[in-house]
Amino acid sequence: MKFVEEVVVDEFLPTFRSMLAEALRERGLTQSEVAELLGISQSAVSKYVHGEVERNDRLLSDRRLRELVERLAEGLASGEMSPVQALVEAEVFVRRLEQGDLLAQLHEAEMPGLAEYGDDRFAIHDPESTVRAAEQVLASLRRGVRILENTDDFPELVPAVGSNLVECLPEAEGIEDVAAVPGRILDLEGTTAVPGDPEFGVSEHVASVLLAARAGGSDARAALNVRYDPEIVETLTDAGYTAVAFDAERDLTEAVADALAESPDADVLYQTGGFGVEPIVYVLGADGPTAARAVREL
């Protein structure tokens, strides 16, 4: 795990400071004067000027950085720019390079996993970014899956089509915004078989039910499907959950919307089957662990 700030410290600062130190020395400033302006030691200035520090070639060749260095060096050497103003100009430049620009690209090379988030990977400092929200969903699902794996009788609740635990992003619009276990959670000779780590866009069925429930007014962020049995529905109802049935042979979104119109607070949806359709119970929850704990009560 490497922070983008480490890229700034390891790659940008040595390159930038050495370029600026050289530019200031070219304008007649002594090592002592350069050290004072940059807030570093004279020995550090000597290393920068004599090329004794490793510099990043991509940064060295960046026209914008060269122009910034020349502008700062001219302003500092002439006294028209204070060290504080130079610092502000440099900070603004760094922040710009972190947002989808050169520093972000260097960071992505160190952390290839960011690439899967597309343009959103560049908003890594944004607390509301998709990257953060997505990773929180995946972490939540892992906790939920562990609950299921540690529930001894869960395999008995797995339907013939398999189970899945899904959780969506706060503003989910489609299946790609819903994370789930790839494949399905299966009953493998009495044990809970989880084929892989949660991913986005790998569940069509349970994800579609969750999205339909949200479209129908539910604020649930997660869902877990188990086999249908009247006793299962009754047990959940006795435990304080609100269950409502929907027609499996109708359009899913419309059927779930009608069911939720009848019972807006429902946190258990179920259908009793149809032509070629296995009856299933869907437990909704605020997140993956909540839905998993609800099923564990069974």
Side-chain angles (χ1 to χ4, degrees):
M1 180 172 64
K2 190 164 187 174
F3 293 89
V4 68
E5 289 80 4
E6 293 179 80
V7 176
V8 174
V9 171
D10 297 340
E11 304 290 342
F12 179 82
L13 282 181
T15 305
F16 170 70
R17 280 177 169 164
S18 66
M19 293 171 68
L20 186 52
E22 287 177 354
L24 289 169
R25 287 288 283 153
E26 289 172 358
R27 286 164 171 78
L29 275 71
T30 65
Q31 287 191 8
S32 176
E33 290 171 329
V34 172
E36 184 176 355
L37 284 173
L38 300 187
I40 57 178
S41 66
Q42 289 189 49
S43 61
V45 173
S46 178
K47 290 181 180 180
Y48 287 141
V49 172
H50 291 93
E52 297 176 14
V53 295
E54 187 173 347
R55 306 198 293 187
N56 184 285
D57 290 336
R58 291 184 65 183
L59 288 166
L60 275 174
S61 61
D62 189 272
R63 175 185 53 79
R64 298 164 301 173
L65 179 56
R66 294 198 307 270
E67 291 176 351
L68 173 67
V69 166
E70 288 300 311
R71 181 159 54 86
L72 297 185
E74 190 62 35
L76 289 170
S78 66
E80 294 179 358
M81 181 181 293
S82 70
V84 171
Q85 184 182 352
L87 173 64
V88 171
E89 294 292 326
E91 286 278 7
V92 170
F93 185 76
V94 168
R95 299 289 87 79
R96 185 185 308 133
L97 292 192
E98 287 178 348
Q99 298 298 318
D101 210 312
L102 186 51
L103 286 177
Q105 294 161 15
L106 293 173
H107 185 220
E108 185 182 321
E110 298 287 345
M111 293 292 295
L114 288 170
E116 66 184 79
Y117 292 105
D119 292 338
D120 289 325
R121 68 190 183 276
F122 299 132
I124 193 168
H125 287 115
D126 182 359
E128 304 300 325
S129 71
T130 302
V131 178
R132 185 174 189 235
E135 290 299 324
Q136 288 175 332
V137 167
L138 293 172
S140 177
L141 271 184
R142 293 185 192 105
R143 292 193 297 272
V145 168
R146 283 199 297 271
I147 291 172
L148 298 180
E149 290 177 314
N150 293 321
T151 301
D152 292 338
D153 296 332
F154 179 70
E156 298 177 14
L157 297 173
V158 175
V161 296
S163 288
N164 213 328
L165 178 63
V166 307
E167 185 171 333
C168 69
L169 293 169
E171 305 299 327
E173 296 180 355
I175 290 174
E176 292 301 318
D177 299 323
V178 184
V181 173
R184 292 164 290 176
I185 301 173
L186 301 173
D187 170 12
L188 187 61
E189 299 181 350
T191 62
T192 301
V194 179
D197 201 43
E199 301 175 24
F200 279 90
V202 294
S203 169
E204 182 173 353
H205 178 65
V206 183
S208 295
V209 172
L210 175 61
L211 291 171
R214 289 173 60 82
S218 172
D219 58 1
R221 291 269 307 278
L224 171 63
N225 67 317
V226 297
R227 67 179 178 84
Y228 169 76
D229 186 294
E231 292 185 3
I232 289 176
V233 175
E234 183 179 352
T235 300
L236 286 167
T237 302
D238 290 344
Y241 295 92
T242 302
V244 64
F246 68 93
D247 188 345
E249 296 187 317
R250 291 181 55 201
D251 173 80
L252 178 62
T253 301
E254 293 180 359
V256 170
D258 287 347
L260 289 174
E262 174 186 332
S263 185
D265 297 327
D267 39 24
V268 174
L269 303 173
Y270 67 94
Q271 47 87 359
T272 56
F275 182 74
V277 180
E278 181 183 7
I280 298 287
V281 175
Y282 303 89
V283 178
L284 306 179
D287 51 35
T290 300
R293 283 191 290 267
V295 169
R296 184 174 61 186
E297 294 178 14
L298 292 171

PDB file of all heavy atoms in Angstrom, residues 182-195:
ATOM      1  N   PRO A 182     -18.729 -13.551  -6.552  1.00  0.00           N
ATOM      2  CA  PRO A 182     -18.752 -14.045  -7.937  1.00  0.00           C
ATOM      3  C   PRO A 182     -19.266 -15.472  -7.972  1.00  0.00           C
ATOM      4  O   PRO A 182     -18.930 -16.294  -7.119  1.00  0.00           O
ATOM      5  CB  PRO A 182     -17.275 -13.962  -8.359  1.00  0.00           C
ATOM      6  CG  PRO A 182     -16.512 -13.982  -7.083  1.00  0.00           C
ATOM      7  CD  PRO A 182     -17.369 -13.283  -6.075  1.00  0.00           C
ATOM      8  N   GLY A 183     -20.100 -15.762  -8.968  1.00  0.00           N
ATOM      9  CA  GLY A 183     -20.742 -17.079  -8.978  1.00  0.00           C
ATOM     10  C   GLY A 183     -21.854 -17.086  -7.952  1.00  0.00           C
ATOM     11  O   GLY A 183     -22.640 -16.144  -7.869  1.00  0.00           O
ATOM     12  N   ARG A 184     -21.899 -18.105  -7.132  1.00  0.00           N
ATOM     13  CA  ARG A 184     -22.935 -18.193  -6.105  1.00  0.00           C
ATOM     14  C   ARG A 184     -22.360 -18.837  -4.854  1.00  0.00           C
ATOM     15  O   ARG A 184     -21.380 -19.587  -4.914  1.00  0.00           O
ATOM     16  CB  ARG A 184     -24.110 -19.033  -6.610  1.00  0.00           C
ATOM     17  CG  ARG A 184     -24.910 -18.398  -7.730  1.00  0.00           C
ATOM     18  CD  ARG A 184     -25.780 -19.418  -8.419  1.00  0.00           C
ATOM     19  NE  ARG A 184     -24.960 -20.360  -9.190  1.00  0.00           N
ATOM     20  CZ  ARG A 184     -25.441 -21.417  -9.838  1.00  0.00           C
ATOM     21  NH1 ARG A 184     -26.730 -21.680  -9.806  1.00  0.00           N
ATOM     22  NH2 ARG A 184     -24.639 -22.212 -10.513  1.00  0.00           N
ATOM     23  N   ILE A 185     -22.984 -18.565  -3.724  1.00  0.00           N
ATOM     24  CA  ILE A 185     -22.638 -19.251  -2.476  1.00  0.00           C
ATOM     25  C   ILE A 185     -23.398 -20.575  -2.484  1.00  0.00           C
ATOM     26  O   ILE A 185     -24.620 -20.591  -2.627  1.00  0.00           O
ATOM     27  CB  ILE A 185     -23.038 -18.413  -1.254  1.00  0.00           C
ATOM     28  CG1 ILE A 185     -22.336 -17.050  -1.300  1.00  0.00           C
ATOM     29  CG2 ILE A 185     -22.700 -19.141   0.038  1.00  0.00           C
ATOM     30  CD1 ILE A 185     -22.792 -16.083  -0.221  1.00  0.00           C
ATOM     31  N   LEU A 186     -22.689 -21.671  -2.334  1.00  0.00           N
ATOM     32  CA  LEU A 186     -23.293 -22.984  -2.501  1.00  0.00           C
ATOM     33  C   LEU A 186     -23.186 -23.827  -1.235  1.00  0.00           C
ATOM     34  O   LEU A 186     -22.349 -23.586  -0.365  1.00  0.00           O
ATOM     35  CB  LEU A 186     -22.613 -23.726  -3.661  1.00  0.00           C
ATOM     36  CG  LEU A 186     -22.666 -23.048  -5.030  1.00  0.00           C
ATOM     37  CD1 LEU A 186     -21.813 -23.817  -6.026  1.00  0.00           C
ATOM     38  CD2 LEU A 186     -24.106 -22.938  -5.512  1.00  0.00           C
ATOM     39  N   ASP A 187     -24.056 -24.832  -1.166  1.00  0.00           N
ATOM     40  CA  ASP A 187     -23.986 -25.856  -0.134  1.00  0.00           C
ATOM     41  C   ASP A 187     -23.103 -26.973  -0.677  1.00  0.00           C
ATOM     42  O   ASP A 187     -23.495 -27.712  -1.588  1.00  0.00           O
ATOM     43  CB  ASP A 187     -25.395 -26.378   0.169  1.00  0.00           C
ATOM     44  CG  ASP A 187     -25.381 -27.628   1.060  1.00  0.00           C
ATOM     45  OD1 ASP A 187     -24.314 -27.950   1.619  1.00  0.00           O
ATOM     46  OD2 ASP A 187     -26.446 -28.270   1.164  1.00  0.00           O
ATOM     47  N   LEU A 188     -21.886 -27.086  -0.154  1.00  0.00           N
ATOM     48  CA  LEU A 188     -20.960 -28.112  -0.615  1.00  0.00           C
ATOM     49  C   LEU A 188     -20.799 -29.150   0.488  1.00  0.00           C
ATOM     50  O   LEU A 188     -19.995 -28.996   1.398  1.00  0.00           O
ATOM     51  CB  LEU A 188     -19.603 -27.482  -0.965  1.00  0.00           C
ATOM     52  CG  LEU A 188     -18.575 -28.408  -1.618  1.00  0.00           C
ATOM     53  CD1 LEU A 188     -19.099 -28.948  -2.949  1.00  0.00           C
ATOM     54  CD2 LEU A 188     -17.265 -27.664  -1.832  1.00  0.00           C
ATOM     55  N   GLU A 189     -21.638 -30.160   0.392  1.00  0.00           N
ATOM     56  CA  GLU A 189     -21.619 -31.256   1.367  1.00  0.00           C
ATOM     57  C   GLU A 189     -21.700 -30.743   2.802  1.00  0.00           C
ATOM     58  O   GLU A 189     -20.939 -31.141   3.681  1.00  0.00           O
ATOM     59  CB  GLU A 189     -20.367 -32.123   1.180  1.00  0.00           C
ATOM     60  CG  GLU A 189     -20.302 -32.782  -0.194  1.00  0.00           C
ATOM     61  CD  GLU A 189     -19.072 -33.655  -0.357  1.00  0.00           C
ATOM     62  OE1 GLU A 189     -18.186 -33.591   0.517  1.00  0.00           O
ATOM     63  OE2 GLU A 189     -18.990 -34.382  -1.361  1.00  0.00           O
ATOM     64  N   GLY A 190     -22.631 -29.816   3.000  1.00  0.00           N
ATOM     65  CA  GLY A 190     -22.887 -29.316   4.345  1.00  0.00           C
ATOM     66  C   GLY A 190     -22.008 -28.164   4.783  1.00  0.00           C
ATOM     67  O   GLY A 190     -22.101 -27.718   5.933  1.00  0.00           O
ATOM     68  N   THR A 191     -21.185 -27.654   3.893  1.00  0.00           N
ATOM     69  CA  THR A 191     -20.366 -26.491   4.220  1.00  0.00           C
ATOM     70  C   THR A 191     -20.703 -25.352   3.264  1.00  0.00           C
ATOM     71  O   THR A 191     -21.157 -25.583   2.139  1.00  0.00           O
ATOM     72  CB  THR A 191     -18.857 -26.796   4.115  1.00  0.00           C
ATOM     73  OG1 THR A 191     -18.548 -27.160   2.768  1.00  0.00           O
ATOM     74  CG2 THR A 191     -18.472 -27.931   5.056  1.00  0.00           C
ATOM     75  N   THR A 192     -20.475 -24.130   3.719  1.00  0.00           N
ATOM     76  CA  THR A 192     -20.745 -22.953   2.899  1.00  0.00           C
ATOM     77  C   THR A 192     -19.564 -22.706   1.971  1.00  0.00           C
ATOM     78  O   THR A 192     -18.464 -22.387   2.436  1.00  0.00           O
ATOM     79  CB  THR A 192     -20.979 -21.721   3.785  1.00  0.00           C
ATOM     80  OG1 THR A 192     -22.095 -21.978   4.658  1.00  0.00           O
ATOM     81  CG2 THR A 192     -21.278 -20.486   2.942  1.00  0.00           C
ATOM     82  N   ALA A 193     -19.781 -22.866   0.679  1.00  0.00           N
ATOM     83  CA  ALA A 193     -18.714 -22.702  -0.306  1.00  0.00           C
ATOM     84  C   ALA A 193     -18.820 -21.323  -0.946  1.00  0.00           C
ATOM     85  O   ALA A 193     -19.800 -21.011  -1.622  1.00  0.00           O
ATOM     86  CB  ALA A 193     -18.799 -23.781  -1.377  1.00  0.00           C
ATOM     87  N   VAL A 194     -17.798 -20.492  -0.710  1.00  0.00           N
ATOM     88  CA  VAL A 194     -17.742 -19.143  -1.280  1.00  0.00           C
ATOM     89  C   VAL A 194     -16.644 -19.141  -2.340  1.00  0.00           C
ATOM     90  O   VAL A 194     -15.465 -19.277  -2.010  1.00  0.00           O
ATOM     91  CB  VAL A 194     -17.438 -18.088  -0.193  1.00  0.00           C
ATOM     92  CG1 VAL A 194     -17.371 -16.699  -0.799  1.00  0.00           C
ATOM     93  CG2 VAL A 194     -18.496 -18.148   0.909  1.00  0.00           C
ATOM     94  N   PRO A 195     -16.992 -18.998  -3.616  1.00  0.00           N
ATOM     95  CA  PRO A 195     -16.008 -19.167  -4.690  1.00  0.00           C
ATOM     96  C   PRO A 195     -14.967 -18.066  -4.832  1.00  0.00           C
ATOM     97  O   PRO A 195     -13.931 -18.284  -5.452  1.00  0.00           O
ATOM     98  CB  PRO A 195     -16.868 -19.246  -5.952  1.00  0.00           C
ATOM     99  CG  PRO A 195     -18.135 -18.554  -5.603  1.00  0.00           C
ATOM    100  CD  PRO A 195     -18.351 -18.804  -4.144  1.00  0.00           C
TER     101      PRO A 195
END
